[in-house]
Amino acid sequence: MSDTKPEVWLRGPVEGVPALLQPVAHALLQAQEEIHVLLQDFPADKLWERPAGVASVGFHLQHLTGVLDRLFTYANGQTLSKQQLQYLIAEGAANENITAAHLLHAFDMQVTHVLTILKNTDEKTLTEARTVGRSQLPSTLLGLMFHAAEHTMRHTGQLLVTVRVILS
């Protein structure tokens, strides 16, 4: 995040995103910016470190990508694929072959994909029922999209603290 730019939500609407979904787009773009700044020059050997037993930086980066994929799968009225379930199981497992750059790229690609979905969402459909998980818990399209935004920001905050503890 640049000191000269206001936060994303104060920069105006994201082009093409419906008005009611602007907060979702703003939150995702804000998280993306903050995470990139936070992880500039982050030491590769610290990616899977778990200070005080908390989740690693690698976990948060994997989870951010995975949760967006899963929540927008549910938003699309679908169930998770075997690949998505395998990804979920692998989130946070230390893997020295995975780099922060790789995880950042995957997150960037997922944010781009989600923004495309937002741009193609008809606001009239936002209250349509959706279900979540194997238990088919009730939600709505808007509920899932909003949760994706707030969950992303929650993990961005946790990531920020974890990085600061590791680097202190």
Side-chain angles (χ1 to χ4, degrees), residues 129-152:
R130 296 291 189 270
T131 57
V132 179
R134 293 179 188 155
S135 299
Q136 299 290 292
L137 300 172
S139 188
T140 62
L141 179 56
L142 181 59
L144 283 159
M145 290 178 171
F146 176 82
H147 181 65
E150 71 86 17
H151 196 86
T152 297

Side-chain angles (χ1 to χ4, degrees), residues 9-120:
W9 69 280
L10 293 171
R11 296 182 206 158
V14 177
E15 187 176 339
V17 174
L20 293 175
L21 296 176
Q22 287 292 324
V24 175
H26 288 144
L28 296 177
L29 291 169
Q30 185 69 43
Q32 185 179 37
E33 281 187 15
E34 289 182 19
I35 290 167
H36 274 272
V37 169
L38 182 66
L39 293 177
Q40 272 184 323
D41 303 319
F42 186 77
D45 63 332
K46 304 286 187 186
L47 186 62
W48 303 105
E49 191 171 303
R50 298 183 64 208
V54 301
S56 68
V57 169
F59 163 78
H60 286 295
L61 291 172
Q62 286 176 322
H63 185 67
L64 285 163
T65 299
V67 79
L68 286 174
D69 180 45
R70 291 187 293 274
L71 289 171
F72 278 85
T73 295
Y74 296 136
N76 197 35
Q78 298 175 333
T79 58
L80 300 184
S81 69
K82 287 181 183 180
Q83 288 175 317
Q84 288 170 306
L85 292 171
Q86 289 172 341
Y87 186 92
L88 175 61
I89 291 167
E91 284 179 11
N95 183 338
E96 301 305 321
N97 295 319
I98 297 175
T99 65
H102 168 81
L103 295 172
L104 283 169
H105 177 72
F107 179 61
D108 290 344
M109 297 300 294
Q110 191 63 46
V111 169
T112 299
H113 177 67
V114 167
L115 289 173
T116 300
I117 292 170
L118 295 177
K119 290 175 182 179
N120 290 306

